[in-house]
Amino acid sequence: MPQSLILVNLLIKLGVAASAASILGRSVEFKSLLFREERNWKQQIYLVLWLGIPMALGVWVRFVQTSFLAGDLSFETAILLGVIGGRFTGVLGGALLGFPALLHGEWATLPFMVLCGLLAGQMRRLAPGRDDIWSFSPFIDLSIYRWLRRNLPTPQLFEWQTIFFVTIVALRFLHAQIHRLLPRATFSLESPTWWVELLIYATSVMVIGTELKIWNSVRIQIKLEEQERLLLNARMEALKNQINPHFLFNTLNSVSSLVRFDPDTAREMIIKLANILRRLLSSSDAFVPLREEVEFIDNYLDIEVVRFGRDKLRVLKELDAASLDVMVPSMLLQPLVENSIKHGLASKIEGGSIRLRSRLSDSQLIIEVEDDGVGMAAANLLEKPTGLGGTGIGLANVAERLKVLYGESARLTIDSREGKGTLIRLRVPVLHGEEGAAALYEERSSTRR
């Protein structure tokens, strides 16, 4: 074969390997099999089928189109399956990859591929850690440099990546010798020119290293997405937990003001508070139906009505029945109602009223909490000191939670006029059922990376 044609096939071989690794890396099922630390025998078989069948077809193409040799990646794939999946996977994959050659008379290919898979699987067992496998570099000079830097102070004879490199080269050399002795029993691309032969060896190492690098990039991305999801969960829990002590502190203040002169009412408030806390402790859902939020607010307002007096705190509801089944963030309304009471009505001698409204409009849920209290500037409303002695975390917390959960598709607006009252309006996307809320949560987790 002309040397130029060999070089062209080597370049195409690298391209085929990179393309195949990239295409397979986009499959969710393949990724779930590839990046498992441990696999049962069924998962190992599935991994062999996912990677082995396309590469076995490449071997078959070599017999159909004799001038196209770059599709035969059986040697490299057998080693990849062994080092990724272990000895069983390597042996099974080697047998699958050698089978098409066996059907065409190359009987030595199958046992050699099985040997490659077995030795590569043994190399997996010898690896100090799984990261050593995924971080394998085809550039041996860099591996030697890292080995020298790491081992000069305390010399060690064993360096896994270098040994793995030597194993690939040794197996490639053994394959070449079998081909020279039994040219019809197996196929191996060879050249009488030393530097072309050197490139053939280098290409095999490059193919294995390139595919591992591509899949390692996908592996790192998956880990980053998982860390982002965990961070989002932690952030949501922190925001949610920030509300509960705030609410508890203010409610206990209300109870303490009644203990001395009205113990029966104080006892009733404690019972209602216990019901509220039981609900908070028993539910860890990020989203709940609006109906549950309204029921929770009813319990909260029962406590506040006792404190203010039924003649000074009136609650009016205008709730669209269709909106009550829409999923909303848990503990969404309580901070809004609390702000209306604390900052709008508490300082108004004659008391006032709170209106709760909900309706659906253009695939959005609109929730309004309006009071006829003293009113104040929207900016001040977010910064008003609370019973905790800090800044007003209520509305700021709600705004932050909406941003985390919905991004730009949700909005919180405040329309407040001094002496007239305050209107807080929420616009959030319509989510029906737990599936819709879960889908939004997953989408926000992926778009935040």
Side-chain angles (χ1 to χ4, degrees):
M1 178 182 292
Q3 303 302 297
S4 59
L5 186 57
I6 293 178
L7 295 177
V8 170
N9 274 278
L10 294 180
L11 288 174
I12 296 176
K13 189 173 185 177
L14 287 172
V16 171
S19 299
S22 299
I23 293 172
L24 288 172
R26 294 184 182 137
S27 169
V28 175
E29 185 175 352
F30 178 73
K31 288 188 289 188
S32 68
L33 293 170
L34 187 64
F35 302 127
R36 290 178 180 270
E37 292 296 330
E38 300 294 336
R39 304 174 187 87
N40 57 39
W41 65 272
K42 286 185 178 181
Q43 292 166 343
Q44 293 183 62
I45 292 175
Y46 290 150
L47 179 60
V48 169
L49 295 177
W50 266 98
L51 189 56
I53 289 179
M55 299 309 175
L57 290 176
V59 178
W60 177 80
V61 168
R62 174 169 62 84
F63 294 102
V64 177
Q65 183 56 258
T66 56
S67 61
F68 184 72
L69 308 177
D72 190 343
L73 300 173
S74 55
F75 170 72
E76 295 82 3
T77 304
I79 293 178
L80 277 170
L81 283 170
V83 78
I84 291 173
R87 291 178 296 188
F88 175 77
T89 304
V91 168
L92 185 61
L96 176 61
L97 292 162
F99 186 71
L102 179 65
L103 292 179
H104 288 81
E106 296 177 355
W107 58 267
T109 299
L110 192 148
F112 177 73
M113 294 303 165
V114 169
L115 175 65
C116 290
L118 179 63
L119 291 180
Q122 186 63 30
M123 287 300 302
R124 174 182 173 86
R125 293 174 63 90
L126 296 176
R130 296 295 177 255
D131 287 339
D132 291 85
I133 296 173
W134 292 111
S135 60
F136 171 72
S137 173
F139 301 104
I140 184 61
D141 58 327
L142 297 179
S143 297
I144 292 175
Y145 172 72
R146 288 195 297 267
W147 177 76
L148 290 174
R149 286 197 58 184
R150 185 162 53 246
N151 295 301
L152 276 178
T154 55
Q156 296 179 9
L157 296 178
F158 181 82
E159 210 287 326
W160 186 87
Q161 299 221 2
T162 303
I163 299 299
F164 184 46
F165 179 94
V166 173
T167 301
I168 297 171
V169 173
L171 287 172
R172 182 68 185 79
F173 178 77
L174 177 61
H175 196 197
Q177 300 311 306
I178 295 174
H179 176 70
R180 287 192 176 97
L181 292 174
L182 304 168
R184 295 187 178 181
T186 187
F187 166 77
S188 177
L189 188 62
E190 303 296 337
S191 171
T193 306
W194 69 269
W195 62 270
V196 176
E197 184 73 6
L198 185 63
L199 287 176
I200 293 173
Y201 278 72
T203 300
S204 292
V205 180
M206 288 286 290
V207 165
I208 295 172
T210 299
E211 295 196 14
L212 285 174
K213 287 295 183 184
I214 291 173
W215 289 332
N216 189 39
S217 297
V218 178
R219 174 173 168 264
I220 292 173
Q221 182 181 2
I222 292 174
K223 284 190 173 183
L224 290 175
E225 291 175 359
E226 178 66 15
Q227 292 300 317
E228 186 68 25
R229 186 186 66 80
L230 294 175
L231 179 61
L232 180 61
N233 287 338
R235 190 177 180 189
M236 283 303 304
E237 285 300 316
L239 289 170
K240 186 176 177 181
N241 291 338
Q242 192 179 27
I243 294 175
N244 296 345
H246 182 208
F247 163 67
L248 178 61
F249 184 87
N250 287 286
T251 303
L252 289 177
N253 272 345
S254 301
V255 172
S256 64
S257 65
L258 293 171
V259 168
R260 291 186 179 181
F261 63 88
D262 195 348
D264 292 336
T265 303
R267 188 181 301 108
E268 180 183 349
M269 291 183 67
I270 291 173
I271 294 174
K272 293 182 180 296
L273 177 59
N275 292 333
I276 292 174
L277 293 178
R278 187 178 297 110
R279 188 258 190 181
L280 289 175
L281 293 173
S282 63
S283 175
S284 59
D285 296 332
F287 289 85
V288 296
L290 178 60
R291 187 186 315 277
E292 290 189 18
E293 276 297 289
V294 173
E295 293 173 357
F296 179 81
I297 290 302
D298 288 341
N299 289 328
Y300 170 75
L301 286 174
D302 285 343
I303 294 176
E304 294 295 71
V305 165
V306 170
R307 178 191 168 202
F308 279 87
R310 300 188 181 278
D311 57 334
K312 289 190 176 182
L313 178 58
R314 299 172 297 277
V315 180
L316 305 174
K317 299 178 185 177
E318 301 173 14
L319 305 175
D320 183 0
S323 68
L324 295 179
D325 294 324
V326 176
M327 303 296 286
V328 297
S330 178
M331 285 291 289
L332 178 69
L333 297 183
Q334 188 272 331
L336 309 183
V337 175
E338 183 178 14
N339 269 281
S340 293
I341 294 175
K342 300 298 181 183
H343 306 315
L345 302 178
S347 59
K348 192 175 181 181
I349 298 177
E350 65 275 20
S353 61
I354 294 177
R355 293 180 180 270
L356 299 179
R357 306 187 188 94
S358 69
R359 65 182 186 276
L360 300 177
S361 175
D362 298 329
S363 300
Q364 284 193 320
L365 171 64
I366 300 175
I367 302 173
E368 295 178 344
V369 179
E370 184 177 13
D371 66 76
D372 54 6
V374 296
M376 61 188 308
N380 291 335
L381 189 59
L382 286 171
E383 298 171 358
K384 180 73 175 179
T386 68
L388 288 176
T391 57
I393 67 171
L395 289 182
N397 187 293
V398 172
E400 176 67 9
R401 293 182 70 197
L402 292 178
K403 182 179 179 181
V404 170
L405 290 171
Y406 297 103
E408 300 299 325
S409 59
R411 181 182 304 175
L412 183 150
T413 58
I414 303 173
D415 181 12
S416 184
R417 292 175 293 174
E418 293 189 18
K420 299 292 186 179
T422 301
L423 170 63
I424 303 172
R425 180 180 290 113
L426 296 177
R427 293 178 179 268
V428 299
V430 173
L431 302 175
H432 289 290
E434 296 180 359
E435 293 80 4
L440 173 71
Y441 201 75
E442 289 298 323
E443 178 184 352
R444 289 298 298 155
S445 298
S446 61
T447 55
R448 287 175 58 82
R449 64 177 179 270

